[in-house]
Structure formats: C-alpha cells, structure tokens
Amino acid sequence: MAVRSIAQESVSSVETDPRRWRILAVLSIAELLGMSLWFGASAVAPQLATEWQLSSAQSALLTTLVQFGFVAGTALSAMLNLADVVPSRTLFSIAALIGAAVNAAILAAPSFAVVLLLRFLTGLALAGVYPPAMKMISTWFQARRGLAIGAIVGALTVGKATPYLVHAIPGAGTREVILAATIAAIFGAMLVGLLYSDGPYSFASRPFSWSLAGTVVREQRWRLATGSYLGHMWELYAFWTWIPAYVAASLAARSGNDVTGGGIVSLLAFLAIAVGGAGCVWGGIYADRSGREKLVAIALAASGACCLLSGIVFGAPLLLLAAVTLVWGFFVIADSAQFSALVTESVPSHAVGTALTLQVSLGFLLTMLPIQLLPAIAATAGWRWAFPILAVGPAAGILIITRLARLRRTATPAIAAT
C-alpha cells in the first residue's frame, strides 16, 4: 500500500506540474507557425493559375503535391524509425527550417514544374513537424492527453488557415502570403529549439529496427484506429482544399457575379478551417470525459451530414452558407487528435513515434484521391454536387470506430487483471 501511495503521489505531482501548460503553449504556437506552410501556395492558387495558365486539375496539384511529399516523408520516417531515434526537438526544428527555405524558393521558381517540386519538398519537410509534435506533447500529459493533443491539432489547424487570412488583407498577393508563411515557420523552429524539453512520460527509445513498423501493424487496435482515421481523412483535406472554390461558386450562383479569389471568399475559407481549432479543443475535452470513440462517432456523423447538406445550401444566402460551412469546419477536424491519442495507447511505448508516423502517412496518401476527384466532379456536375461523395468516408469511419470501442471495452477487464 505504501508503494502504491508513493506512486499515486508521483503521478499526481506530474499532473499538476505547471510546466506542462507552458510546454503545451510553446508547442501549440510552434505548430501554428510551422504548419502555415501547408496551404501557403494553395491560398493564392487563383493568382498562380492566372500566371501559369493552369486548369482546375493543375491547381489541385498545389495541395496534392504537399500531401504526396508528406506521405513520402512520413513513410521514410516510419521505415527509418526517425521519430523514435532522433530527438523530437531536433527533428522538428530542422524540418521546419527546411520547409521554410523551400517555401520561400517558390517566389524565384522559373516554371510551374519547379513550383510543384518545391511543394513536394514542403510536404516532405512537414513530415518532421506534424507527427513529432503529437509525441512530444504526450510526454507531458497522460490523464488529459486527449485535451493536450487536441490543442496541438487545433493549433496546426489554425496555422494551416493563416495563409487565407493573410490573403484576405487588401493588397496581400502571392509574395506577401508566401513570405508570411516562411517567416512563421522559422519562428516555430526557434520556439521548439530553444524552449521545448521532454516531459516525465518520455517514451522509451530504441535503436533502429526494420521490424518496428511490423510490430505496429500487427496490433489490431492500431489497425482499427487507423481504419477509422482513413475515413476521416477521405473528407478532411478535400474539404479544406476546395471549400474556397465551393464558396466562390455558391456566391456567384446567387449573385451572378464572379467572386473567385475575392476577400470574402478568402475570409470565409480562413474561418472554415480555423474554427476547427476550437473543434479540436472541444473534442479533446469531450473525449477525455466521455470517451474517444464516442467523440469520433459524433464528429464523423456531424461532418458527414454537412457533406450531404452542401448541395442543398449551395446558392443560399451568405449567412446560411457561412453557418453550415463553419459547423462543418468545426466538426470535420474535431476528432482528428483522438485518432492520434488512440494510437499512443495501442502500441508499445518504444513504437509510438513510428505508429503515429505510419498512421498519418497512410491517411495523407488517401487524401490525394478526393482532392483530385472533386474538381473533376465539379467540372461535370458543378460544385453543388461535388462534396456529397465525401460522406462515404465518415460513414465508414463510424462503422470501424464502433468496432474499436467494442474491442477496448472487452479488453479493459483483462488489462485491469494483469
């Protein structure tokens, strides 16, 4: 009993350590700044399309190549166990600086092909910014890990939206948007490099092993968490990428005027993505209180319903369009952090970094298909009917997360008995 009491007091002291909230703030701000690189070029896609005479499919590549680069980077990281071998602070800082450099190089690109190469390299670098941050904050939080990871994902969500906010400023063009994202990423790297340190729940490190990815994949709970995550990812990035085009087309259908690239479009696109930051924090709080699987099911159901509603509210008054768009943006990302939290709880501690990296690699690989699919549907049927197909992802995700919930419920007594 004495040993148990000492252990409980130790855990309690960690859970009340004020340093963890400072670290959460540091990592959240760093993620917000670093992930602004993601849509740095996508936010000015209309301007780049005019400059390079691009089709809708070519414009989609500005985002798809980031996804592809991220997939390549996370796959490489998973195979080499980088997230479990290289110190997270070092990996994050170096990756953010590389991402800033290649993003700035877009301004000197001599051709669209070079721009696409630079977008690929941006995604490659961001593979060292996104997954490590989730592992880093998990070293400081255990009892409230859902909230902590939710705050990190919420911050990076707002960060991804910031290029649209910059673009909404009168007079802010391609140069200003790209430079703002570059400078932000540099500051993000500095914050982590100077102020971050691992917490008391540090995950065990181990030497490189080819078998580590196999260890992760053999875990059924990881497979189910990742399967539901894939349903979530089918919808998420296609929504983020094409919501400006959908809004512009909807406003044009109502007014009869072309508003592509207008300030109201960029502002609403920013709000639709950024409101997801609040969704992530709410999702983390709800998940910690009521269960991660329950939160995932609610968020997927709500965002899936918005997919289906998008055709109905197309061409509606701005207030109604904005309301549905913001509700959609809130729920479409509210569950994202919980998939990561589920992964940290489903694999051996020495494999957490690789498990997270492999999960997001598969998820971002999937996102490339709907990103390219939606403009093709829009070209045939119009933007009114482009988004409903995304509801397939949330529907599949709900079925899989329900199975995981049953598995975790039956496994709990066995775990408690050991």
Side-chain angles (χ1 to χ4, degrees):
M1 291 294 293
V3 173
R4 181 181 177 87
S5 177
I6 292 173
Q8 288 177 332
E9 289 179 6
S10 177
V11 170
S12 177
S13 65
V14 170
E15 293 299 333
T16 57
D17 190 335
R19 291 178 299 166
R20 66 183 188 149
W21 298 110
R22 178 179 66 82
I23 292 295
L24 179 59
V26 167
L27 277 179
S28 296
I29 295 171
E31 278 290 295
L32 187 155
L33 295 172
M35 297 306 287
S36 64
L37 297 171
W38 201 286
F39 288 124
S42 302
V44 291
Q47 287 72 26
L48 293 175
T50 300
E51 180 180 352
W52 301 106
Q53 297 298 302
L54 307 178
S55 65
S56 295
Q58 289 173 315
S59 295
L61 291 173
L62 292 169
T63 299
T64 301
L65 264 293
V66 178
Q67 314 292 109
F68 185 41
F70 187 83
V71 168
T74 50
L76 180 64
S77 178
M79 287 188 295
L80 299 179
N81 311 158
L82 290 182
D84 291 307
V85 175
V86 179
S88 297
R89 179 174 64 179
T90 302
L91 182 59
F92 183 108
S93 299
I94 292 175
L97 290 174
I98 293 173
V102 296
N103 184 69
I106 292 175
L107 296 176
S111 67
F112 182 61
V114 174
V115 172
L116 293 182
L117 173 61
L118 293 171
R119 295 299 286 158
F120 171 82
L121 294 175
T122 300
L124 194 72
L126 290 174
V129 174
Y130 183 179
M134 293 184 289
K135 178 184 177 183
M136 291 156 74
I137 199 58
S138 295
T139 69
W140 282 95
F141 287 82
Q142 191 172 69
R144 305 184 71 181
R145 184 170 292 177
L147 170 61
I149 297 181
I152 293 295
V153 176
L156 69 87
T157 300
V158 177
K160 290 179 180 180
T162 52
Y164 290 103
L165 178 61
V166 175
H167 193 220
I169 299 173
T174 302
R175 181 179 180 84
E176 289 76 15
V177 171
I178 290 177
L179 284 180
T182 296
I183 294 170
I186 293 172
F187 276 104
M190 293 173 60
L191 275 176
V192 170
L194 296 174
L195 300 178
Y196 173 79
S197 61
D198 282 338
Y201 299 123
S202 297
F203 297 103
S205 61
R206 71 180 269 172
F208 167 77
S209 171
W210 285 112
S211 65
L212 195 55
T215 299
V216 169
V217 173
R218 284 191 294 272
E219 171 55 57
Q220 184 183 17
R221 290 177 299 168
W222 179 89
R223 295 198 304 271
L224 291 173
T226 299
S228 187
Y229 173 73
L230 293 179
H232 156 78
M233 291 297 280
W234 172 264
E235 175 192 14
L236 178 61
Y237 275 83
F239 167 76
W240 277 353
T241 300
W242 291 114
I243 193 61
Y246 169 83
V247 169
S250 180
L251 295 178
R254 182 168 182 81
S255 67
N257 298 317
D258 183 9
V259 294
T260 301
I264 186 63
V265 173
S266 293
L267 181 59
L268 187 51
F270 164 76
L271 293 173
I273 300 174
V275 72
C280 288
V281 174
W282 169 81
I285 295 172
Y286 186 93
D288 283 341
R289 290 177 178 173
S290 304
R292 307 200 197 289
E293 297 90 348
K294 185 177 180 180
L295 179 277
V296 167
I298 291 172
L300 288 173
S303 63
C306 290
C307 291
L308 300 177
L309 280 173
S310 63
I312 298 174
V313 301
F314 184 88
L318 178 60
L319 288 180
L320 177 58
L321 177 69
V324 172
T325 300
L326 294 178
V327 170
W328 195 353
F330 182 91
F331 283 105
V332 76
I333 187 67
D335 51 348
S336 190
Q338 303 317 309
F339 295 112
S340 302
L342 286 167
V343 162
T344 67
E345 298 165 351
S346 69
V347 298
S349 62
H350 65 266
V352 165
T354 296
L356 287 169
T357 302
L358 190 57
Q359 181 195 52
V360 297
S361 179
L362 293 172
F364 281 88
L365 179 64
L366 179 66
T367 63
M368 293 188 286
L369 178 57
I371 287 174
Q372 293 295 136
L373 180 62
L374 257 61
I377 296 175
T380 302
W383 279 107
R384 177 190 291 271
W385 305 115
F387 279 117
I389 194 174
L390 296 181
V392 172
I398 291 172
L399 292 176
I400 298 172
I401 202 67
T402 301
R403 184 178 175 188
L404 177 60
R406 288 198 298 266
L407 177 64
R408 280 164 61 92
R409 281 197 299 270
T410 58
T412 299
I415 293 173
T418 58

